[in-house]
Amino acid sequence: MAGNKKYLKTVVYLILAVVIIGIIYTRFAAPKKEAAPNKETVRGSKGNKPLLVDAFIVHSSSLNEVIYASGTLQSNEEVQIQPEITGKVTGLFFKEGTQVNKGALLVKIYDEDLKAQLAKLELQQQLAKTTLERQENLLKINGISRQDVDVTRNQVSAYGADMEYTRTQLQKTELRAPFNGRLGLRNISLGAIVNNTTIITTLQQIDPLKVDFTVPEKYRNVVRQGDAVTFKVAGDSLPYKGQIYAIDPKIDLATRTIKLRAIVPNPGQLLPGAFANVQIALRNMPNALMIPSQAVIPGTRDKKVIIAEQGKAKFVVVETGLRDADNVEITGGLHQGDTVITSGMLQLKPGMVLKYNKIN
């Protein structure tokens, strides 16, 4: 009996020892299994992590409303020097590319046949005048009928008309400059046979010049005659100024634009045909809200910017107005003093915490 009790006590001690060893092993030796992270917890921790961004404080500034347009310089006056009659060129009295005055003789066409015809008509008219004087004396003594006198008088007038026509033809043998201007290149040589389709040279008046350009039709009631324009041409950094003097009364149906023309003094280096970047200053806005262009996020229906509200990102719908090289006018959605985010917009989501790298 005593042996059985001793045996049972030993078994109990062994069981207790095994249980204690298992507990110790589980607590200290076995690796701890971590609980799977909650997706919402991960997402929340990511969203609350501050993002380093640049910002811009909205403030009012002066803005000039300017229309930008593309234009082309034109000669104030331009003409092709062409003869009205067919003939041989007997004289060239101009040098290519030089300045000439109005009325200067440029080209002479053969005219000896016309001169001979004029001399013949002068003799015939003189003979008719002599005959008329004799007949008028005879009429006084009723030695001739009045009808014969009238026929001779009409013949004198007819010769005079023929002489005027011949003189007009003689004028056409001389090609003169119709206005002050600069000649172009010569296309013929001395002795060439020319007709009314032959372009001998060109004459252009390049001081002043005209600049033709177009603006959208929405400005049809804004732009007026007398408005000042400023423009630049390729290869020249100097600005040039002019004044609008003509507006086409018709809107172009294809482009929905209006054509305007300005007159421009030419200091000497401007040439017709040059491309011009034209600016028209319409009005000045002293309290315009301007932000950097890169801060605006374009959308299919609206435009948005991201502002900082209590240190977190907030998306705001805005309305834009005029633009310049780097900035855009905000006409609705923002107020003076708002902090607009200008970098990292693609990574931002509403409610994300912001940390500023640079504030302008």
Side-chain angles (χ1 to χ4, degrees), residues 16 84 111 157 215 221 308 328 353:
L16 290 173
E84 297 182 63
D111 62 354
S157 300
V215 299
N221 296 323
V328 59
V353 179

PDB file of all heavy atoms in Angstrom, residues 16 84 111 157 215 221 308 328 353:
ATOM      1  N   LEU A  16       3.610  17.309 -13.602  1.00  0.00           N
ATOM      2  CA  LEU A  16       3.818  18.735 -13.313  1.00  0.00           C
ATOM      3  C   LEU A  16       5.082  19.263 -13.968  1.00  0.00           C
ATOM      4  O   LEU A  16       5.131  20.374 -14.498  1.00  0.00           O
ATOM      5  CB  LEU A  16       3.856  18.956 -11.803  1.00  0.00           C
ATOM      6  CG  LEU A  16       2.530  18.789 -11.061  1.00  0.00           C
ATOM      7  CD1 LEU A  16       2.743  18.876  -9.549  1.00  0.00           C
ATOM      8  CD2 LEU A  16       1.532  19.848 -11.517  1.00  0.00           C
ATOM      9  N   GLU A  84       2.215  99.024-120.084  1.00  0.00           N
ATOM     10  CA  GLU A  84       0.840  98.907-120.589  1.00  0.00           C
ATOM     11  C   GLU A  84       0.796  98.525-122.056  1.00  0.00           C
ATOM     12  O   GLU A  84      -0.248  98.110-122.554  1.00  0.00           O
ATOM     13  CB  GLU A  84       0.102 100.231-120.393  1.00  0.00           C
ATOM     14  CG  GLU A  84      -0.060 100.635-118.949  1.00  0.00           C
ATOM     15  CD  GLU A  84      -0.842 101.931-118.814  1.00  0.00           C
ATOM     16  OE1 GLU A  84      -2.022 101.944-119.217  1.00  0.00           O
ATOM     17  OE2 GLU A  84      -0.271 102.915-118.327  1.00  0.00           O
ATOM     18  N   ASP A 111       9.717 104.412-128.976  1.00  0.00           N
ATOM     19  CA  ASP A 111       8.579 105.292-129.260  1.00  0.00           C
ATOM     20  C   ASP A 111       8.725 106.083-130.553  1.00  0.00           C
ATOM     21  O   ASP A 111       7.946 107.010-130.819  1.00  0.00           O
ATOM     22  CB  ASP A 111       8.383 106.272-128.114  1.00  0.00           C
ATOM     23  CG  ASP A 111       9.592 107.189-127.925  1.00  0.00           C
ATOM     24  OD1 ASP A 111      10.620 106.985-128.605  1.00  0.00           O
ATOM     25  OD2 ASP A 111       9.510 108.096-127.074  1.00  0.00           O
ATOM     26  N   SER A 157     -10.762 119.372-135.378  1.00  0.00           N
ATOM     27  CA  SER A 157     -10.969 118.795-134.035  1.00  0.00           C
ATOM     28  C   SER A 157     -10.578 117.319-133.996  1.00  0.00           C
ATOM     29  O   SER A 157     -10.013 116.824-133.007  1.00  0.00           O
ATOM     30  CB  SER A 157     -12.422 118.980-133.617  1.00  0.00           C
ATOM     31  OG  SER A 157     -12.775 120.343-133.564  1.00  0.00           O
ATOM     32  N   VAL A 215      -7.456  88.461 -84.282  1.00  0.00           N
ATOM     33  CA  VAL A 215      -7.785  88.221 -82.878  1.00  0.00           C
ATOM     34  C   VAL A 215      -9.098  87.444 -82.835  1.00  0.00           C
ATOM     35  O   VAL A 215      -9.904  87.521 -83.767  1.00  0.00           O
ATOM     36  CB  VAL A 215      -7.913  89.535 -82.083  1.00  0.00           C
ATOM     37  CG1 VAL A 215      -6.601  90.292 -82.092  1.00  0.00           C
ATOM     38  CG2 VAL A 215      -9.028  90.409 -82.636  1.00  0.00           C
ATOM     39  N   ASN A 221     -15.736  93.717 -79.727  1.00  0.00           N
ATOM     40  CA  ASN A 221     -16.220  94.965 -79.131  1.00  0.00           C
ATOM     41  C   ASN A 221     -15.223  95.578 -78.158  1.00  0.00           C
ATOM     42  O   ASN A 221     -15.523  96.561 -77.492  1.00  0.00           O
ATOM     43  CB  ASN A 221     -17.551  94.710 -78.400  1.00  0.00           C
ATOM     44  CG  ASN A 221     -18.652  94.280 -79.340  1.00  0.00           C
ATOM     45  OD1 ASN A 221     -18.732  94.767 -80.471  1.00  0.00           O
ATOM     46  ND2 ASN A 221     -19.500  93.361 -78.898  1.00  0.00           N
ATOM     47  N   ALA A 308      -3.804  74.204 -48.708  1.00  0.00           N
ATOM     48  CA  ALA A 308      -3.562  73.678 -47.362  1.00  0.00           C
ATOM     49  C   ALA A 308      -4.602  74.243 -46.411  1.00  0.00           C
ATOM     50  O   ALA A 308      -4.734  75.457 -46.266  1.00  0.00           O
ATOM     51  CB  ALA A 308      -2.157  74.049 -46.904  1.00  0.00           C
ATOM     52  N   VAL A 328      -1.170  82.289 -63.883  1.00  0.00           N
ATOM     53  CA  VAL A 328      -2.535  82.306 -64.392  1.00  0.00           C
ATOM     54  C   VAL A 328      -3.417  83.053 -63.395  1.00  0.00           C
ATOM     55  O   VAL A 328      -3.213  82.955 -62.182  1.00  0.00           O
ATOM     56  CB  VAL A 328      -3.055  80.873 -64.631  1.00  0.00           C
ATOM     57  CG1 VAL A 328      -3.038  80.057 -63.354  1.00  0.00           C
ATOM     58  CG2 VAL A 328      -4.452  80.888 -65.222  1.00  0.00           C
ATOM     59  N   VAL A 353      -1.550  64.859 -44.764  1.00  0.00           N
ATOM     60  CA  VAL A 353      -0.813  65.848 -43.975  1.00  0.00           C
ATOM     61  C   VAL A 353       0.311  66.417 -44.836  1.00  0.00           C
ATOM     62  O   VAL A 353       0.981  65.684 -45.570  1.00  0.00           O
ATOM     63  CB  VAL A 353      -0.252  65.204 -42.694  1.00  0.00           C
ATOM     64  CG1 VAL A 353       0.537  66.235 -41.888  1.00  0.00           C
ATOM     65  CG2 VAL A 353      -1.390  64.628 -41.861  1.00  0.00           C
TER      66      VAL A 353
END
